[in-house]
Amino acid sequence: MKKIIIIFILIFITGCDSYIELNDLAIINALGIEKVDNTYKIYAGTVQMLDEESLMPEIEVYQVEGTSLNQIIDNLSLALNKKIYLSHLDLLLLNDSIKDKELEEIINFFLNNNETREDFLVINTNDINKTLEKMKFQEINELVKNNKRETSKTIYTTMYDVIKNYYDKKSIYIPAINIKETITLNGLKEYKNNKYKDIKSDDVIYINYYLNNIDTYKLSFSCSNQTNKYLYLNILKGITTTLNKEILVANEIKVITNDCNYSKDEINKIFNDNLKNKLNKLTKKKITINNTIRGTYEN
Amino acid sequence: MKIKKVENRLAFFILTLALFLLNINYLNISTILIGSLIAYLFIMLFEKTKIYQFKIVKIILTIFSLLFLPIYLNKITYYISDNILREYSTISISLTLIITIFILGNKGYHTIIKVLLLALYFIIFFFILGFLTNLLYLDGNNITTTIFFSNNLFLESIYYSILIIYPYFLIYPTTNTKFKFYDLAFSSFYQIITYIVIISILGTTLTSLYKYPFITIFKKVNLIGFIERIEIIFSLNYLFCFYFLLLFSYYNIKSNLSLIIKKDKNLTITLIFITFIIFIISTIIQ
């Protein structure tokens, strides 16, 4: 009996009948989705063979249309004659045509697809096709990542954040990319109640404060008593703790240039007034700021 | 080699954890606490009255196992298909599982416990490793009072208590091990810790949306740029827990049937038939 079972297992259950050659996989790294006249347009950036000169993988952009995302992915698979592989998806590009209905379909598509991991970057761009053609997905990822790290003027929004904020009915902040001659980061798009709202780069810092998402950034104030002279600060760290009725903000500030010869208390006051003023526009809670200041200031 | 009592307690821990993970979307901290309390009271009652010695209880338990097996075989097959063998057909996965369960289940309780102990080294190592890799991703802001709220606290607590009582019946009466409070306390404590870790990484919304939130948390792991995409290793770890759930249920059916069917040959034929029916039902149900 045992031998029969073992032979049965060996013949029918083992083997590699479901294996797929690497060449038969369409590895998609970037996906752009827009809706035009009740039809989805999808731009898929797939990795091709290595370029012999630059030794970088070449990326080809395919465009497919359809009425539902699943249908389009099937169409793409037929067009490329390969299995669509989304596990290495690094970038999702959307534009203002994606509203509640479409967003829900996109979210459901990714939630039902066990292959994908929702840690890829989501961006908003005015021209998806041009963005994908002009810039490689790694470069866009780096652009957002570096800007977030060095200036805190953007947010590295992943699909996890989009799904979470969509179901929690909170604002979804998506980094906006503007494409003309060059590609530039252009603040954020705030999506709430089926509408997109532009947020300028300088205001993103305060949204990052609100979300406890601050890295380093630099800030300058012109001196009140002297023209063309500045107080230049480097904010090394910012931590926000949100309580029921209060928001606590702690900053570590380094004074780089102090042309105005402000004292520590004056620097503290100027910085706090500005931060409170901006944060009051985002929340009605009481704001308490505590700063550690080092660098050059008058004692 | 004699089976130690601690080995049975470990088996109870693994089975309750498996049931907790497979039903995580219906649970929260309040249901775990209240459900554990209800389960403890019932188990104490069972221990005092020795109710598990009655024939009618054994019949009810066998029927419960017969219903439980195809449902959970289906669940675990889809778990493997979704997380580990994505390209493989579900029928082949289900068939492999049921055949190995049939072979191992017929070997007896001693063999099952020893296999569990072998797997336990792997399971504990990856439990600790999983916890350590997730430490960096814990976010206290995700832990809100909602982790205590439940839409239907009473029903969910009763449901959870069944998830505790069922493994109790599978292990303790058959091995004459006395049930201790700390058996339940330890498994509930571990489940609450697991639940808090998952919630603090994903938040309540994402935890309820994902089918396998305990695997999704590993998709986020990216340590020093190259330790990433490790969720399949952890999926395998949880698979061991789920596999023993099926194995113990099957063993319960087999041991109860052996009391009715005395002849070995008839018993084997009946078990083959039952295994085949379980396999067919598990492939049919969605």
Side-chain angles (χ1 to χ4, degrees), chain B:
Chain B
M1 265 172 81
K2 221 182 151 189
I3 299 169
K4 290 174 192 160
K5 284 189 176 167
V6 68
E7 293 170 357
N8 294 321
R9 297 185 199 287
L10 284 169
F12 175 75
F13 169 73
I14 296 291
L15 297 199
T16 46
L17 181 69
L19 279 168
F20 159 74
L21 290 171
L22 287 169
N23 293 285
I24 199 164
N25 290 331
Y26 314 111
L27 304 171
N28 62 36
I29 290 181
S30 331
T31 50
I32 295 171
L33 289 171
I34 298 168
S36 301
L37 197 70
I38 297 169
Y40 184 67
L41 292 174
F42 271 100
I43 291 170
M44 282 299 108
L45 191 74
F46 299 148
E47 290 267 298
K48 281 243 156 117
T49 53
K50 305 267 180 213
I51 200 170
Y52 44 77
Q53 288 175 347
F54 295 117
K55 226 175 192 176
I56 183 79
V57 177
K58 284 184 178 169
I59 293 167
I60 292 170
L61 198 63
T62 313
I63 294 168
F64 190 85
S65 293
L66 281 169
L67 291 171
F68 178 90
L69 250 177
I71 296 168
Y72 276 79
L73 179 64
N74 178 280
K75 267 194 177 193
I76 293 160
T77 303
Y78 276 95
Y79 167 79
I80 298 169
S81 172
D82 288 343
N83 294 300
I84 303 163
L85 300 167
R86 294 199 184 105
E87 302 296 326
Y88 219 57
S89 80
T90 50
I91 290 176
S92 309
I93 296 168
S94 184
L95 197 62
T96 317
L97 277 175
I98 202 75
I99 289 173
T100 51
I101 285 163
F102 177 79
I103 294 169
L104 206 53
N106 287 337
K107 293 271 182 195
Y109 191 79
H110 191 272
T111 314
I112 294 172
I113 280 287
K114 291 300 165 195
V115 172
L116 184 133
L117 281 177
L118 283 174
L120 205 66
Y121 293 111
F122 186 82
I123 291 170
I124 290 173
F125 174 73
F126 278 102
F127 274 168
I128 296 166
L129 194 68
F131 184 71
L132 292 176
T133 48
N134 278 318
L135 276 181
L136 287 172
Y137 299 89
L138 299 180
D139 182 3
N141 291 331
N142 284 328
I143 299 172
T144 54
T145 46
T146 50
I147 61 169
F148 294 101
F149 292 149
S150 166
N151 292 333
N152 208 333
L153 187 66
F154 179 71
L155 277 180
E156 283 172 8
S157 303
I158 294 286
Y159 181 66
Y160 179 77
S161 64
I162 295 168
L163 302 184
I164 296 283
I165 293 169
Y166 180 60
Y168 159 78
F169 273 116
L170 294 184
I171 292 162
Y172 288 87
T174 38
T175 55
N176 287 325
T177 312
K178 202 171 183 310
F179 187 82
K180 292 268 172 67
F181 175 73
Y182 61 74
D183 295 352
L184 184 58
F186 180 64
S187 68
S188 299
F189 175 73
Y190 188 84
Q191 286 168 24
I192 289 173
I193 294 288
T194 312
Y195 187 80
I196 290 174
V197 168
I198 293 169
I199 291 284
S200 69
I201 294 170
L202 293 178
T204 36
T205 315
L206 288 181
T207 307
S208 59
L209 282 171
Y210 282 104
K211 203 174 169 188
Y212 311 106
F214 50 95
I215 298 299
T216 310
I217 56 170
F218 292 109
K219 285 189 178 179
K220 280 196 163 192
V221 173
N222 186 346
L223 298 175
I224 42 178
F226 69 90
I227 302 175
E228 53 176 346
R229 298 173 187 272
I230 53 171
E231 69 273 9
I232 288 189
I233 299 167
F234 292 97
S235 311
L236 269 173
N237 189 34
Y238 288 122
L239 176 62
F240 279 122
C241 299
F242 301 154
Y243 180 76
F244 286 110
L245 191 65
L246 299 177
L247 195 54
F248 276 89
S249 301
Y250 175 80
Y251 179 74
N252 177 55
I253 297 170
K254 189 226 160 189
S255 59
N256 285 345
L257 278 179
S258 64
L259 298 172
I260 306 162
I261 306 163
K262 300 286 177 193
K263 263 192 175 178
D264 271 4
K265 201 180 172 188
N266 291 350
L267 182 67
T268 313
I269 291 165
T270 317
L271 285 173
I272 289 173
F273 178 71
I274 286 173
T275 312
F276 182 70
I277 295 292
I278 288 167
F279 168 69
I280 296 293
I281 296 171
S282 84
T283 51
I284 293 166
I285 54 172
Q286 282 298 314

Side-chain angles (χ1 to χ4, degrees), chain A residues 65 74 96 99 104 112 134 149 185 213 224 250 282 287:
Chain A
E65 287 181 21
D74 288 346
D96 288 0
K99 300 276 172 70
E104 192 156 349
N112 293 328
K134 272 211 164 187
R149 196 171 53 223
L185 261 175
N213 198 21
S224 55
L282 296 168
I287 297 155

Side-chain angles (χ1 to χ4, degrees), chain A residues 1-13, chain B residues 99 102-103 107 272:
Chain A
M1 185 68 190
K2 274 182 209 165
K3 281 176 190 167
I4 295 169
I5 291 171
I6 290 166
I7 290 165
F8 181 81
I9 292 172
L10 281 174
I11 294 171
F12 292 103
I13 300 177
Chain B
I99 289 173
F102 177 79
I103 294 169
K107 293 271 182 195
I272 289 173

Side-chain angles (χ1 to χ4, degrees), chain A residues 19 50 59 65 74 76 78 92 111 113 136 138 145 148 158 166 190 207 248 250 264 272 292:
Chain A
Y19 87 107
L50 276 180
I59 293 165
E65 287 181 21
D74 288 346
L76 186 65
L78 287 172
L92 177 69
L111 281 179
N113 194 328
K136 284 176 179 156
Q138 300 103 319
K145 221 176 250 177
K148 165 78 181 63
T158 63
Y166 178 78
E190 182 189 7
I207 290 168
L248 308 172
K264 190 179 175 182
N272 285 1
T292 314

